[in-house]
Amino acid sequence: SRPEWYALRDTYNLEFKDKKSFDPSLMYTAVAQSEVDVISAFSTDGRIAAYDLAVLDDPRNALPPYDAVLLCSPTASQDQGLLAALRPLVRSISDDAMREANKIVDVDKGTVGEAANYLIEQITQAP
């Protein structure tokens, strides 16, 4: 019943034999264990890396992008130092790196600080 499935169905002329609903915490296990063939997921979810799942391309753009954005308060948006510090972050974290950072917290039970340190390493090592 989720709208993205209707968009996929209509855009790619898909018809699924069976449809199942899962709690988000169970759907990754279901696809990893071949209980289902396809699930809807956030492209940077750490469980994708943990279960070695494949993210399918969407060349017809049936699904809207769910890009992260930086939001500042009206006061902070006037702080040129803050904006200069944040600007290098724009488009600097790949989906693969974010997936791994999320895996550190959600799957490996690491801390947010460990995930942040991982991302800092990825950003500073990027060409």
Side-chain angles (χ1 to χ4, degrees):
S1 65
R2 293 180 55 128
E4 65 264 21
W5 288 111
Y6 294 117
L8 287 170
R9 180 196 65 198
D10 296 346
T11 302
Y12 292 100
N13 196 29
L14 298 174
E15 196 57 47
F16 294 101
K17 178 181 166 190
D18 295 313
K19 299 167 188 85
K20 299 179 181 182
S21 293
F22 286 93
D23 180 275
S25 63
L26 301 175
M27 65 184 186
Y28 291 89
T29 304
V31 75
Q33 294 176 352
S34 298
E35 294 174 34
V36 296
D37 295 321
V38 181
I39 63 172
S40 169
F42 292 108
S43 61
T44 57
D45 194 299
R47 292 169 290 188
I48 293 169
Y51 290 114
D52 196 30
L53 301 174
V55 175
L56 301 177
D57 290 330
D58 178 18
R60 297 181 187 170
N61 300 309
L63 301 174
Y66 293 103
D67 297 332
V69 296
L70 299 172
L71 299 175
C72 296
S73 70
T75 302
S77 70
Q78 302 305 310
D79 183 335
Q80 294 306 309
L82 174 64
L83 297 178
L86 291 175
R87 201 165 283 117
L89 294 175
V90 175
R91 295 184 190 85
S92 67
I93 301 172
S94 69
D95 283 353
D96 287 337
M98 196 67 229
R99 229 178 261 132
E100 185 61 30
N102 284 329
K103 179 179 164 287
I104 289 169
V105 175
D106 296 335
V107 177
D108 301 338
K109 304 303 179 200
T111 66
V112 172
E114 290 168 328
N117 286 335
Y118 169 78
L119 289 173
I120 290 167
E121 289 174 15
Q122 298 304 302
I123 292 169
T124 58
Q125 292 175 4

